[in-house]
Amino acid sequence: MTVSVERPASDPHLRPTGLRGVAADLSSDQRAFKNVSWGKAMMWIFILSDIFIFGCFLLAYMAARMSTTVTWPNPSEVFALTIGGREIPLILIAIMTFVLISSSGTMAMAVNFGYRRDRRKTAALMVVTAALGATFVGMQAFEWSKLIAEGVHPGKTRGVRRNSARPFS
C-alpha cells in the first residue's frame, strides 16, 4: 500500500510534470551522463547531430527528385570513366571512396604513433594523409571539369524551368 504525501508548492524537491519535468531533471543534475566521460558524451552528441544533418540533406534531395517530372540522368552514365576505350561505370567514385577511407586510416595511424611519441612515423603518415587528401581534391577537380565540359554547370537546369517545382507549397 502506498501512501501519498502532499508537499507544499514551495518545496524545492517538487518537480514539474511532463517535458518541463524532464528538462528540470536534466538541468538540475550535473551528472546526467553518470559514468560516461565528457569526450564520449560529446562524441555521441556529434554523431547524432551528423545523423540529423545528413537526414535533412537526404530529405531535401528526395523532395527535389520527386518534385519534377523531367527524368534525371543515369548516375552510371554520368560518372562513367573511359579507360582504354572502354567505359567503366562509377569507377571514379569507387577510387575516390577508397582514397578517402585510406586517408582516414593513415590519419588514425598517425595519431596512434603521435601518442607513442614516434615522430618519424607520425610525420610520414601525416605526409601520406596529405598526399591522399590532395589526390582526392584533384579527382574532384577532374570530375567537375569533366561534368562542366559535358554541359553541366552549377545553377543550370536541364530542361526544367526555374521555380517550376515547388515541393512544399
Side-chain angles (χ1 to χ4, degrees):
M1 183 188 288
T2 58
V3 177
S4 64
V5 177
E6 289 189 30
R7 295 182 180 165
S10 62
D11 187 359
H13 298 292
L14 186 64
R15 292 198 180 120
T17 59
L19 287 177
R20 286 183 177 257
V22 171
D25 185 40
L26 287 175
S27 64
S28 68
D29 187 7
Q30 294 182 1
R31 296 167 299 172
F33 298 103
K34 293 189 178 16
N35 294 322
V36 178
S37 69
W38 181 254
K40 192 172 191 176
M42 290 301 108
M43 182 54 72
W44 276 107
I45 290 172
F46 167 74
I47 289 171
L48 289 173
S49 67
D50 220 27
I51 288 169
F52 291 139
I53 288 171
F54 280 101
C56 289
F57 284 150
L58 288 173
L59 285 173
Y61 175 71
M62 181 184 70
R65 289 287 302 248
M66 293 175 63
S67 66
T68 182
T69 58
V70 178
T71 59
W72 283 47
N74 184 357
S76 295
E77 294 172 6
V78 173
F79 297 111
L81 189 62
T82 305
I83 300 174
R86 186 167 178 234
E87 205 170 80
I88 304 173
L90 301 175
I91 189 70
L92 187 62
I93 292 175
I95 294 170
M96 284 192 296
T97 302
F98 176 76
V99 167
L100 201 58
I101 291 172
S102 297
S103 69
S104 295
T106 56
M107 189 63 210
M109 288 172 33
V111 169
N112 186 6
F113 283 115
Y115 280 127
R116 295 180 189 181
R117 307 247 187 245
D118 190 342
R119 286 185 171 197
R120 256 195 200 137
K121 288 182 182 176
T122 302
L125 286 166
M126 288 185 74
V127 167
V128 170
T129 302
L132 288 169
T135 302
F136 179 78
V137 170
M139 293 175 90
Q140 285 286 314
F142 171 77
E143 184 178 38
W144 274 104
S145 64
K146 182 177 172 256
L147 289 172
I148 290 171
E150 292 174 359
V152 178
H153 297 280
K156 181 180 178 184
T157 57
R158 291 181 176 215
V160 179
R161 291 189 329 260
R162 287 198 180 272
N163 299 326
S164 64
R166 296 182 186 166
F168 301 111
S169 49

